[in-house]
Amino acid sequence: MDQHIAESIGRPDLIRLDDRLVCLRFETMKVVSALAAVRHLLDTGVVRRGDTLLDSSSGIYAYALALTCHRYGLHCHIVGSATVDHTLRTQLAVLGATLEQMEPCSDLKLDQKRRVERIHEILAAHPEYHWMRQYHDDVHYLGYRAIADRIREATGTANGLTVVGGVGSGASTGALTRYLREDASDASDVELVGVQPYGSVTFGSEHVSDTEMIIAGIGSSIPFGNVSHELYDTLHWVSFEAALAGSVDLLRRHAVFAGLSTGAGYLAARHERERSPHRTVLFIAPDTGHRYVDTVYARHREAAPIAGLAPREVTDRSDLALPWSRMRWNRAPA
């Protein structure tokens, strides 16, 4: 029996959509990394009950950290993006977390820069606070060991497996792949496919902008230390328009209600499955679709049929183009 709701929320479902396509579905994925990271910090004496944990977030990690602090008797302070909505603000307040929300900004890079600057101001005034550094501290990898074990048991093998997921902070896809490759007879048998929005600096698409919407959480306008570029075999860059089509098709075809980054991952996973007829392809669904009801699902009639979508194959990032591009990365360094 779980001792706290955070443990239940962080436990994913494994759903076989067809014989070679598997969905790893979370209610809120970042609870996994937050719980394990904070447990480690408490066990090693880095923080103690009653301390304040601090971080910047565009939304999901804020909720995960607030739940974790509630679980372990810690205080939580979040410097939040303007994308933090009313529902999340209310949840954070009731959970006892404090939120400083940035003013609206059309420039994602400026928004992230301002949040980091504010973090440093708070630390200067409160050096006793612990900055969780979700984008840079690999303590956030720890929670994914148990999930990698579960994937291996459920799929029957770590060999012949392709993992597809939004890159984001680098923790989820990076950790799962490291653990799965450790247990595989041949590390080359576990492939990693990263999904990015256009405009993200992580894999060099900052020169291409998506005028519709930047898919939050799977890209970045600043470098993230937790991204291990050398783990990735292939990259997909997916626009809002294509991700919307993927999200709607996933709900319509398989009844999985998930976020926009999941729609992008689903598109990439279907494509990789067709390219590799003997491999099992698993894609990560990091959260539910509730945040996207108005911006995505209410527009379901606009969604293009995914059968008519295919990525542009490129060998150089200068050739990236909307709505969807694919490139072999070949485990190259940053």
Side-chain angles (χ1 to χ4, degrees):
M1 183 179 295
D2 294 322
Q3 302 302 307
H4 191 274
I5 187 65
E7 295 156 8
S8 174
I9 288 174
R11 186 181 303 113
D13 302 308
L14 273 164
I15 306 164
R16 186 174 291 280
L17 304 186
D18 65 27
D19 60 337
R20 292 189 299 107
L21 186 64
V22 177
C23 177
L24 180 67
R25 178 195 176 275
F26 293 85
E27 182 174 340
T28 303
M29 182 181 68
K30 289 193 175 182
V31 172
V32 174
S33 55
L35 276 174
V38 173
R39 276 200 305 268
H40 177 76
L41 295 173
L42 287 165
D43 290 345
T44 55
V46 175
V47 301
R48 296 176 295 177
R49 290 181 182 269
D51 284 354
T52 296
L53 305 187
L54 168 72
D55 215 341
S56 164
S57 173
S58 59
I60 295 301
Y61 187 78
Y63 180 52
L65 189 59
L67 283 171
T68 301
C69 288
H70 188 278
R71 167 73 175 85
Y72 289 115
L74 296 151
H75 299 292
C76 177
H77 188 89
I78 299 294
V79 178
S81 167
T83 58
V84 176
D85 61 21
H86 173 71
T87 300
L88 180 54
R89 288 196 301 270
T90 303
Q91 286 177 294
L92 294 176
V94 175
L95 285 168
T98 54
L99 169 68
E100 291 185 42
Q101 190 167 10
M102 295 289 100
E103 292 296 322
C105 177
S106 59
D107 186 333
L108 178 61
K109 185 172 184 178
L110 180 58
D111 176 74
Q112 289 186 319
K113 180 174 182 290
R114 289 191 306 180
R115 281 189 276 142
V116 172
E117 288 172 349
R118 180 57 187 149
I119 290 284
H120 286 292
E121 291 173 356
I122 293 169
L123 288 172
H126 297 279
E128 73 278 11
Y129 286 6
H130 181 81
W131 183 13
M132 289 299 295
R133 302 177 74 246
Q134 64 151 321
Y135 303 127
H136 305 290
D137 191 337
D138 63 5
V139 70
H140 292 90
Y141 275 44
L142 297 176
Y144 294 99
R145 161 58 83 179
I147 296 171
D149 292 342
R150 188 174 171 202
I151 290 169
R152 187 177 58 258
E153 292 167 5
T155 59
T157 178
N159 300 324
L161 178 68
T162 299
V163 177
V164 180
V167 177
S169 70
S172 60
T173 50
L176 285 173
T177 302
R178 280 186 178 176
Y179 294 138
L180 288 166
R181 285 177 181 166
E182 284 176 6
D183 297 328
S185 58
D186 183 343
S188 65
D189 285 339
V190 179
E191 293 194 349
L192 177 56
V193 177
V195 180
Q196 285 272 274
Y198 291 95
S200 172
V201 305
T202 308
F203 285 89
S205 68
E206 60 269 28
H207 60 290
V208 184
S209 61
D210 188 345
T211 56
E212 182 77 60
M213 178 192 286
I214 295 174
I215 306 173
I218 66 171
S220 176
S221 64
I222 57 176
F224 287 166
N226 272 343
V227 178
S228 296
H229 293 72
E230 67 277 6
L231 294 174
Y232 295 83
D233 296 281
T234 303
L235 267 296
H236 286 252
W237 288 266
V238 181
S239 70
F240 171 84
E241 174 188 339
L244 182 150
S247 298
V248 170
D249 189 88
L250 180 61
L251 179 57
R252 181 177 288 139
R253 190 187 303 261
H254 299 289
V256 176
F257 181 51
L260 191 60
S261 63
T262 301
Y266 169 65
L267 273 187
R270 284 174 55 92
H271 182 78
E272 295 300 323
R273 180 195 58 180
E274 296 308 310
R275 292 180 65 95
S276 304
H278 303 297
R279 300 181 68 84
T280 295
V281 180
L282 176 144
F283 69 96
I284 301 170
D287 61 358
T288 67
H290 294 88
R291 290 198 303 159
Y292 297 97
V293 169
D294 293 331
T295 56
V296 174
Y297 290 99
R299 299 172 58 178
H300 63 91
R301 292 181 181 84
E302 302 174 24
I306 63 170
L309 297 176
R312 171 190 175 98
E313 297 287 339
V314 302
T315 57
D316 190 280
R317 285 167 292 181
S318 63
D319 295 325
L320 292 175
L322 276 69
W324 181 8
S325 297
R326 177 186 186 271
M327 189 176 95
R328 289 290 297 173
W329 187 261
N330 297 319
R331 306 190 188 184

